Amino acid sequence: MDLSYGAEYEAFRDEVREFVAAHWSREDARNPERITAFRLKATEAGYLYRNIPRRFGGSEQPADVLRAQVIHEEFTSARAPMEIYGNGVRMLVPTLLECGAPWQQEQFIPPTVRGQVDWAQGYSEPGSGSDLASVRTRGELVGDEWIINGQKIWTSRAHECRYMFALVRTEPDAPKHQGISYLLLDLHQPGVTIRPLKQITGQSTFNEVFFDDARTPLDWIVGRRGEGWQVSRATLKHERTGIGNAETYLEQFAKLLNVARSATRNGRPAIEDPIVQDRLAEIEGYLQAHRYSTFRQLSMSLAGKDPGPVTTMNKLVVTNLGHMIAALAQELIGDASLLLPVYEPGHKVGDERWMNQFFGSLGIAIAGGTSNIQRNIIGERGLGLPRDQTGGDS
Amino acid sequence: MDLSYGAEYEAFRDEVREFVAAHWSREDARNPERITAFRLKATEAGYLYRNIPRRFGGSEQPADVLRAQVIHEEFTSARAPMEIYGNGVRMLVPTLLECGAPWQQEQFIPPTVRGQVDWAQGYSEPGSGSDLASVRTRGELVGDEWIINGQKIWTSRAHECRYMFALVRTEPDAPKHQGISYLLLDLHQPGVTIRPLKQITGQSTFNEVFFDDARTPLDWIVGRRGEGWQVSRATLKHERTGIGNAETYLEQFAKLLNVARSATRNGRPAIEDPIVQDRLAEIEGYLQAHRYSTFRQLSMSLAGKDPGPVTTMNKLVVTNLGHMIAALAQELIGDASLLLPVYEPGHKVGDERWMNQFFGSLGIAIAGGTSNIQRNIIGERGLGLPRDQTGGDS
Amino acid sequence: MNFDLSAEQTALQDSVGRLLQNELDQVRLLEIFDSEDGHDARLWQALGELGVLGLMIDERHGGTGLEMLDAAVVTEMLGYHGAPGPYLGHVAASLAICWSANDAQKERWLPRLATGECLGTVALAESDAAWQPNEWRLAGPTALNGTKRNVLYPAQADVMVVGVAGGELMLVENPAETVEVTPLPSLDATRRIAHVAFRDTPAAPLSGSAERLRDALLVLLAADAFGGARRCLDMAVDYALTREQFGQVIGAFQGLKHQLANVAADIEPARALYWYAAHAFDAVPEDAQRMAALAKAHVTERFLHAARECTQAHGGIAYTWEFPLHVWLKRAVFDRMYMGSTSMHRTRVAELSGWALAG
Amino acid sequence: MNFDLSAEQTALQDSVGRLLQNELDQVRLLEIFDSEDGHDARLWQALGELGVLGLMIDERHGGTGLEMLDAAVVTEMLGYHGAPGPYLGHVAASLAICWSANDAQKERWLPRLATGECLGTVALAESDAAWQPNEWRLAGPTALNGTKRNVLYPAQADVMVVGVAGGELMLVENPAETVEVTPLPSLDATRRIAHVAFRDTPAAPLSGSAERLRDALLVLLAADAFGGARRCLDMAVDYALTREQFGQVIGAFQGLKHQLANVAADIEPARALYWYAAHAFDAVPEDAQRMAALAKAHVTERFLHAARECTQAHGGIAYTWEFPLHVWLKRAVFDRMYMGSTSMHRTRVAELSGWALAG
């Protein structure tokens, strides 16, 4: 058992560190041109877009989870920009690489990778949450165009996106899963209306998108008619390959400790309160278990071994962790939990910032399939129990 | 709002108290004949077997929950015997009163009420737990006798019982719920084998009962052929009319407080430990809520009002309470939880007696329908959600 | 035994329910939630006309002369409907004035507090969640200097009952003229709070018990919490009966069904707990403090749990501002923290029970 | 990075699993559970022959010279199969002798401990769950007088490591001749315990650290608990796949499915936690104590929770003595309380982390 990365990777780490030191400084962060230039250099050096072919703007490196991890660590610690973050790079590009037509790959991947366009995800609808395959947004082929009518919801940052990839029902008479196509469409057109969706935190990071005779060309379809469900599964597969990351929760726990140190209970620092200590240690048990569990999963993946059912559990595990941390934080901050964190100029946000974490932990339990769907997946794919009616996407 | 019983009932209480003082003394408890004589007198006075007609040995009193409560309180505080405790009085007698033939009522109710015979309940089978209607014990009518083959389980005190009332499949071709008959049978016959079932506590309060061409007369059937399921529901209805009683758990909580006082943590009485206090107060919140909830249910029943969905929840509520109390007790007794309570002459049982409560709280969650079945009942009958396949007996 | 509401109490509760049903549909509720001051004049007036605002004020001063149990069952309905506004502080201030003001003060304020024409509030907490009378440091004897935190609707208040050192109470009349109010971004926008700075603010001593005022608020918070929890469950059940996924209403899925059944069993008995705490406040002095603390800790804890579970049961829709379930989620946070945390009141229960002493 | 077992470790674990699969079916397990002394000579011999009993004893003294991680993954398998017998105390005593006995003592005991021909145990706890070295009061210097509680298999032990005041260790050879053993009705009959009274019992000082001995036991208990939890879940899943009610296997019902999914997600990551605690014991001194305490508290707590949930998932059958699930339920109670409660170890985690100091 060896928690270090080994000599080869430490040498690689030195190389990456030197590269970053040579090409990036903190002040660059305020200069969009410098950021773009750095990304280009880092891609040429083989550090970014590693699984994307060179002809589409990637660096086309052999898969190597540890190198990716080293790059992530070094870039993050220098606060250097990594890949463009968004649904385009994260979901559409892998899908196009796997299922897209050559012209689609050529036309869409390079500008997406360069950050010139981003994509909105058009999956969820008001009536289709966990039962995604029940989408009702219709697409009708009229001449050489798809005419699209309906509504999508939970579309993040739709305002800032040029395009959308969407699940659209094009074969209304086919069985549920066989009647969907995976269409690409331009959001900058009269038939599309975008409305921000205010969340319970008061912020608006999601949108509703309405289609009223929106149009897209005949060949802006990925895969064939009626194959959209399968195509979207490919995307989800990519989304889910990420092994549960414990870093976020380690950071949250460190912040939780700080709150416990600054808060008081019965006139003493809360962290000296036996109840608080007990709950912190309980949370840390879950946290360190998950942390080393991710190391184990990573190590096994590196060795080409199957980590087993635990991979189906990561989401529920971190959902529970987030909930435990948020619940304790809410108690520790005391009366600050009576306040809504308001991010406005001139307004100082104090401990009430934890209320965003408090609501966020609920949002995580809901987003991307509720925890009940996760429990189905664990029960069926993880434990081998029989499917029931909500087998969902398994 | 008035938590007293009012002048009329306090007068009645005086009457009961005088009666008990006149006819019962603690030493009588060791004398079976005195017990029997007292029960007879108490029945004549109208205090016991209040809902059983006089001709069957009851006192035939109008229903009055508060009088029953007063009698219970006064008898209990004087440790005077109440009704014979057992499935006969508790389940069979109400069933016979509702569905039995006149000759069955005459023949079976009086000796049951007098404690001359007791009855085993023959419902559960190894393959039929929550799905009780799937019983497979067969009854075949041959001449003027039922020939019974099969097995029952979880039969409490079968050794001490003369008779059994049983669910037996007599119409194998009928639909599941219509193929069952409610038969009475004599356990003292060669075709019946009783085997004690050792529980995880080490004690044996239940049995398995095997039928190998056991026999019972043609007319020892309650209700008609194939109506056994409905007849048994009548019994269960009687079993469930009891409004959840909080007394047991108030007593347990008092004992829990005593354990917390005698146990030590970090060299101080455990009850001074903030963690222990917090958990005790949490449990007491649930306990007092349930206690006053039962007062509310009782009051509403007295007034002929429907207490609402809460009646479907009492069992789950007390199951959870028992679990919380047992879990804390197990921690408080510390190393005593490493011991099995052994009740043998010459062996002193200490704090480890709580381990029986610990296992018992699990047993309660299982017995009489698992907690999951209770959740179905709450969801469907209490909240009005649609039935699913395990609708069970609802 | 009659541990049940009287016909009059049930009728009162129903009439408040009907009023709120009519005046406060979900659209209106969100409008007030999003409004500048979180205080709707029409709703306030309607509550006043129904007698809700002067329930415990004696009849001689224009109130109904009822008891805490009556006020609590009404508060349950306000909780159920998520009623926004200064109700809690108003009722508490009125009570304190009833108990302990002199005749002139009573004459001056109670009749107009009973109708809602004037607004009352209470200023209790100091820094570090110092909600308990023995923690207060602000001191008289005639002019106040210092700060009270998280006061309900102080800017709109005509009269303010202030907790001061030694666990005493004082009365500040027309505080708008003599205090400085710093509004806060209230998470629960149905109950707006602000910090109040006193600068040589004239104040008159009151004779009443701050502990009893605290207990009154604890009982009212428990009642509000029970109503709110029940509402969350009702909304989740309604949703489970109408929302379809995988070809059937989601309430038919055992996973969700069991989740809601657990919530129901968790909260339903709590109704009787807050009833008894209110009854003890009225009629069982030896139980009053302890049961108020126990009820506040237990019921508000259950409310937050129910609100979380029911939010999850809804899925994404409940994460939007437009769908008003979050109003109750935020009320749950308020009820749980206001007047002191669960953990603090559980410690009080342990002390008041004398657990460490007896036996 | 290679946070995974080596091929050798996996092979070792598998071979122990196969042995136990063969030697210890559920009938045999219950026979030993119900036996007079809870110690099966054939099983013990088989474990000795496989090298399990001398895993951490150096090769010079007849052992395999492996480390804690190896012992821990083996212990997981013993936990999975509910292996009865004096393994825990034996391994701990062997370790202490390895570290801290003189050459003569080592020569005398280690070769026979490695094969299992001789049996070792450790005597640590004193009254009031005094499991920690700083709580011990029994004192030397050469003869012991007093009592140790809840000692594993002392009557059968050939050699006993005893914790004494000051957090020191002493060695008692052939204790049967010099101590008085009071057997106890062990709840977990796969690990029999007894009180041991020392009466002028000759004892020799050992140089090793009692804290390290404690940490070793904590790691082994965590490993055992993980194996046990996994077994409970496996049994419940098997049962859910075969038991039919209402015309289908009960594992198809979402209520039960979600219950088992929760258990799985609750326990599965704990595997890596005990691995790291064992690895830290071997190779990361600055983490060793803290991770041993954290792993013991976390994994044994999860084991008891899993055992309870899986017992409920089975229904009535699991409440019978004949169905061996209760063996793991009782092992879970043992693992959780032995060497100190969850709450005590969580307090230690807080201290060892310096939470109240840093920042």
Side-chain angles (χ1 to χ4, degrees), chain B residues 13 25 40 54 77 85 185 194 206 214 218 224-225 245 317 350 377:
Chain B
R13 182 189 300 280
S25 71
L40 266 177
R54 289 198 175 267
S77 89
Y85 183 80
L185 64 107
I194 295 171
F206 296 99
L218 169 63
R224 277 182 289 195
R225 286 181 72 148
N245 196 321
V317 168
I377 293 173

PDB file of all heavy atoms in Angstrom, chain B residues 13 25 40 54 77 85 185 194 206 214 218 224-225 245 317 350 377:
ATOM      1  N   ARG B  13     -63.885   5.530  41.185  1.00  0.00           N
ATOM      2  CA  ARG B  13     -62.564   5.093  41.620  1.00  0.00           C
ATOM      3  C   ARG B  13     -62.589   4.700  43.110  1.00  0.00           C
ATOM      4  O   ARG B  13     -62.031   3.680  43.501  1.00  0.00           O
ATOM      5  CB  ARG B  13     -61.535   6.205  41.385  1.00  0.00           C
ATOM      6  CG  ARG B  13     -60.113   5.817  41.767  1.00  0.00           C
ATOM      7  CD  ARG B  13     -59.166   7.011  41.725  1.00  0.00           C
ATOM      8  NE  ARG B  13     -59.068   7.628  40.395  1.00  0.00           N
ATOM      9  CZ  ARG B  13     -58.311   7.152  39.406  1.00  0.00           C
ATOM     10  NH1 ARG B  13     -57.592   6.072  39.603  1.00  0.00           N
ATOM     11  NH2 ARG B  13     -58.288   7.760  38.254  1.00  0.00           N
ATOM     12  N   SER B  25     -55.543  -9.025  49.057  1.00  0.00           N
ATOM     13  CA  SER B  25     -54.329  -8.586  49.740  1.00  0.00           C
ATOM     14  C   SER B  25     -53.134  -9.180  49.008  1.00  0.00           C
ATOM     15  O   SER B  25     -53.252 -10.188  48.311  1.00  0.00           O
ATOM     16  CB  SER B  25     -54.354  -9.045  51.196  1.00  0.00           C
ATOM     17  OG  SER B  25     -54.185 -10.442  51.236  1.00  0.00           O
ATOM     18  N   LEU B  40     -63.622 -13.971  40.209  1.00  0.00           N
ATOM     19  CA  LEU B  40     -65.068 -14.209  40.155  1.00  0.00           C
ATOM     20  C   LEU B  40     -65.814 -13.050  40.812  1.00  0.00           C
ATOM     21  O   LEU B  40     -66.757 -12.494  40.243  1.00  0.00           O
ATOM     22  CB  LEU B  40     -65.407 -15.512  40.885  1.00  0.00           C
ATOM     23  CG  LEU B  40     -65.478 -16.753  40.000  1.00  0.00           C
ATOM     24  CD1 LEU B  40     -65.750 -17.995  40.826  1.00  0.00           C
ATOM     25  CD2 LEU B  40     -66.563 -16.576  38.924  1.00  0.00           C
ATOM     26  N   ARG B  54     -73.115 -11.972  30.529  1.00  0.00           N
ATOM     27  CA  ARG B  54     -73.124 -12.698  31.797  1.00  0.00           C
ATOM     28  C   ARG B  54     -73.264 -14.201  31.596  1.00  0.00           C
ATOM     29  O   ARG B  54     -72.652 -14.990  32.313  1.00  0.00           O
ATOM     30  CB  ARG B  54     -74.270 -12.200  32.678  1.00  0.00           C
ATOM     31  CG  ARG B  54     -74.021 -10.791  33.210  1.00  0.00           C
ATOM     32  CD  ARG B  54     -74.909 -10.461  34.399  1.00  0.00           C
ATOM     33  NE  ARG B  54     -74.528  -9.147  34.932  1.00  0.00           N
ATOM     34  CZ  ARG B  54     -73.644  -8.981  35.919  1.00  0.00           C
ATOM     35  NH1 ARG B  54     -73.079 -10.022  36.499  1.00  0.00           N
ATOM     36  NH2 ARG B  54     -73.304  -7.767  36.322  1.00  0.00           N
ATOM     37  N   SER B  77     -52.385  -0.770  40.761  1.00  0.00           N
ATOM     38  CA  SER B  77     -51.624  -0.198  41.880  1.00  0.00           C
ATOM     39  C   SER B  77     -51.716  -1.112  43.104  1.00  0.00           C
ATOM     40  O   SER B  77     -50.824  -1.119  43.939  1.00  0.00           O
ATOM     41  CB  SER B  77     -52.101   1.228  42.175  1.00  0.00           C
ATOM     42  OG  SER B  77     -53.155   1.209  43.106  1.00  0.00           O
ATOM     43  N   TYR B  85     -54.734 -13.340  31.157  1.00  0.00           N
ATOM     44  CA  TYR B  85     -54.005 -12.804  30.017  1.00  0.00           C
ATOM     45  C   TYR B  85     -53.698 -13.916  29.026  1.00  0.00           C
ATOM     46  O   TYR B  85     -53.131 -14.950  29.386  1.00  0.00           O
ATOM     47  CB  TYR B  85     -52.692 -12.173  30.475  1.00  0.00           C
ATOM     48  CG  TYR B  85     -51.955 -11.542  29.337  1.00  0.00           C
ATOM     49  CD1 TYR B  85     -52.313 -10.283  28.875  1.00  0.00           C
ATOM     50  CD2 TYR B  85     -50.932 -12.234  28.692  1.00  0.00           C
ATOM     51  CE1 TYR B  85     -51.667  -9.707  27.814  1.00  0.00           C
ATOM     52  CE2 TYR B  85     -50.280 -11.657  27.627  1.00  0.00           C
ATOM     53  CZ  TYR B  85     -50.653 -10.381  27.185  1.00  0.00           C
ATOM     54  OH  TYR B  85     -50.014  -9.825  26.123  1.00  0.00           O
ATOM     55  N   LEU B 185     -58.907 -26.156  17.042  1.00  0.00           N
ATOM     56  CA  LEU B 185     -58.476 -27.537  17.162  1.00  0.00           C
ATOM     57  C   LEU B 185     -57.829 -27.789  18.510  1.00  0.00           C
ATOM     58  O   LEU B 185     -57.323 -26.861  19.163  1.00  0.00           O
ATOM     59  CB  LEU B 185     -57.544 -27.929  16.013  1.00  0.00           C
ATOM     60  CG  LEU B 185     -56.200 -27.217  15.891  1.00  0.00           C
ATOM     61  CD1 LEU B 185     -55.079 -28.159  16.292  1.00  0.00           C
ATOM     62  CD2 LEU B 185     -55.988 -26.768  14.459  1.00  0.00           C
ATOM     63  N   ILE B 194     -45.250 -29.937  19.099  1.00  0.00           N
ATOM     64  CA  ILE B 194     -44.899 -28.569  19.490  1.00  0.00           C
ATOM     65  C   ILE B 194     -43.414 -28.506  19.802  1.00  0.00           C
ATOM     66  O   ILE B 194     -42.904 -29.323  20.569  1.00  0.00           O
ATOM     67  CB  ILE B 194     -45.714 -28.125  20.719  1.00  0.00           C
ATOM     68  CG1 ILE B 194     -47.195 -28.069  20.337  1.00  0.00           C
ATOM     69  CG2 ILE B 194     -45.238 -26.771  21.233  1.00  0.00           C
ATOM     70  CD1 ILE B 194     -48.120 -27.848  21.508  1.00  0.00           C
ATOM     71  N   PHE B 206     -41.795 -18.643  22.294  1.00  0.00           N
ATOM     72  CA  PHE B 206     -42.585 -18.995  21.118  1.00  0.00           C
ATOM     73  C   PHE B 206     -42.327 -20.450  20.742  1.00  0.00           C
ATOM     74  O   PHE B 206     -41.385 -21.076  21.213  1.00  0.00           O
ATOM     75  CB  PHE B 206     -42.232 -18.101  19.931  1.00  0.00           C
ATOM     76  CG  PHE B 206     -42.561 -16.661  20.165  1.00  0.00           C
ATOM     77  CD1 PHE B 206     -41.577 -15.768  20.565  1.00  0.00           C
ATOM     78  CD2 PHE B 206     -43.851 -16.194  19.990  1.00  0.00           C
ATOM     79  CE1 PHE B 206     -41.879 -14.433  20.781  1.00  0.00           C
ATOM     80  CE2 PHE B 206     -44.163 -14.856  20.203  1.00  0.00           C
ATOM     81  CZ  PHE B 206     -43.167 -13.982  20.600  1.00  0.00           C
ATOM     82  N   ALA B 214     -53.333 -33.981  11.758  1.00  0.00           N
ATOM     83  CA  ALA B 214     -54.090 -33.557  12.943  1.00  0.00           C
ATOM     84  C   ALA B 214     -55.563 -33.470  12.554  1.00  0.00           C
ATOM     85  O   ALA B 214     -55.900 -33.277  11.386  1.00  0.00           O
ATOM     86  CB  ALA B 214     -53.574 -32.205  13.435  1.00  0.00           C
ATOM     87  N   LEU B 218     -65.783 -31.425  12.109  1.00  0.00           N
ATOM     88  CA  LEU B 218     -66.396 -30.654  11.033  1.00  0.00           C
ATOM     89  C   LEU B 218     -66.877 -29.277  11.481  1.00  0.00           C
ATOM     90  O   LEU B 218     -66.650 -28.269  10.813  1.00  0.00           O
ATOM     91  CB  LEU B 218     -67.590 -31.473  10.501  1.00  0.00           C
ATOM     92  CG  LEU B 218     -68.567 -30.789   9.537  1.00  0.00           C
ATOM     93  CD1 LEU B 218     -67.852 -30.391   8.260  1.00  0.00           C
ATOM     94  CD2 LEU B 218     -69.730 -31.722   9.225  1.00  0.00           C
ATOM     95  N   ARG B 224     -67.903 -19.396   7.810  1.00  0.00           N
ATOM     96  CA  ARG B 224     -68.044 -20.469   6.834  1.00  0.00           C
ATOM     97  C   ARG B 224     -66.722 -20.826   6.171  1.00  0.00           C
ATOM     98  O   ARG B 224     -65.733 -20.121   6.361  1.00  0.00           O
ATOM     99  CB  ARG B 224     -69.076 -20.039   5.780  1.00  0.00           C
ATOM    100  CG  ARG B 224     -70.488 -20.322   6.287  1.00  0.00           C
ATOM    101  CD  ARG B 224     -71.520 -19.967   5.261  1.00  0.00           C
ATOM    102  NE  ARG B 224     -71.614 -18.502   5.118  1.00  0.00           N
ATOM    103  CZ  ARG B 224     -72.629 -17.892   4.502  1.00  0.00           C
ATOM    104  NH1 ARG B 224     -73.604 -18.613   3.949  1.00  0.00           N
ATOM    105  NH2 ARG B 224     -72.666 -16.589   4.401  1.00  0.00           N
ATOM    106  N   ARG B 225     -66.741 -21.914   5.445  1.00  0.00           N
ATOM    107  CA  ARG B 225     -65.562 -22.306   4.663  1.00  0.00           C
ATOM    108  C   ARG B 225     -65.115 -21.144   3.788  1.00  0.00           C
ATOM    109  O   ARG B 225     -65.946 -20.498   3.138  1.00  0.00           O
ATOM    110  CB  ARG B 225     -65.878 -23.496   3.749  1.00  0.00           C
ATOM    111  CG  ARG B 225     -66.004 -24.807   4.461  1.00  0.00           C
ATOM    112  CD  ARG B 225     -66.296 -25.926   3.461  1.00  0.00           C
ATOM    113  NE  ARG B 225     -65.131 -26.252   2.649  1.00  0.00           N
ATOM    114  CZ  ARG B 225     -64.870 -27.473   2.191  1.00  0.00           C
ATOM    115  NH1 ARG B 225     -65.690 -28.495   2.481  1.00  0.00           N
ATOM    116  NH2 ARG B 225     -63.812 -27.683   1.452  1.00  0.00           N
ATOM    117  N   ASN B 245     -50.458   2.627  24.331  1.00  0.00           N
ATOM    118  CA  ASN B 245     -50.314   2.959  25.734  1.00  0.00           C
ATOM    119  C   ASN B 245     -48.904   3.462  26.006  1.00  0.00           C
ATOM    120  O   ASN B 245     -47.925   2.845  25.617  1.00  0.00           O
ATOM    121  CB  ASN B 245     -50.578   1.702  26.564  1.00  0.00           C
ATOM    122  CG  ASN B 245     -50.830   2.053  28.000  1.00  0.00           C
ATOM    123  OD1 ASN B 245     -50.191   2.948  28.543  1.00  0.00           O
ATOM    124  ND2 ASN B 245     -51.781   1.372  28.606  1.00  0.00           N
ATOM    125  N   VAL B 317     -44.586   4.583  16.249  1.00  0.00           N
ATOM    126  CA  VAL B 317     -44.110   5.551  17.240  1.00  0.00           C
ATOM    127  C   VAL B 317     -43.496   4.829  18.446  1.00  0.00           C
ATOM    128  O   VAL B 317     -42.389   5.162  18.876  1.00  0.00           O
ATOM    129  CB  VAL B 317     -45.270   6.479  17.691  1.00  0.00           C
ATOM    130  CG1 VAL B 317     -44.874   7.292  18.923  1.00  0.00           C
ATOM    131  CG2 VAL B 317     -45.676   7.413  16.560  1.00  0.00           C
ATOM    132  N   GLY B 350     -27.433  -8.220  36.440  1.00  0.00           N
ATOM    133  CA  GLY B 350     -27.211  -6.794  36.680  1.00  0.00           C
ATOM    134  C   GLY B 350     -27.749  -5.949  35.530  1.00  0.00           C
ATOM    135  O   GLY B 350     -28.782  -6.259  34.939  1.00  0.00           O
ATOM    136  N   ILE B 377     -49.186   0.894   5.981  1.00  0.00           N
ATOM    137  CA  ILE B 377     -50.505   1.173   6.546  1.00  0.00           C
ATOM    138  C   ILE B 377     -50.662   2.671   6.810  1.00  0.00           C
ATOM    139  O   ILE B 377     -51.692   3.270   6.497  1.00  0.00           O
ATOM    140  CB  ILE B 377     -50.704   0.352   7.840  1.00  0.00           C
ATOM    141  CG1 ILE B 377     -50.781  -1.143   7.493  1.00  0.00           C
ATOM    142  CG2 ILE B 377     -51.961   0.800   8.586  1.00  0.00           C
ATOM    143  CD1 ILE B 377     -50.804  -2.068   8.706  1.00  0.00           C
TER     144      ILE B 377
END
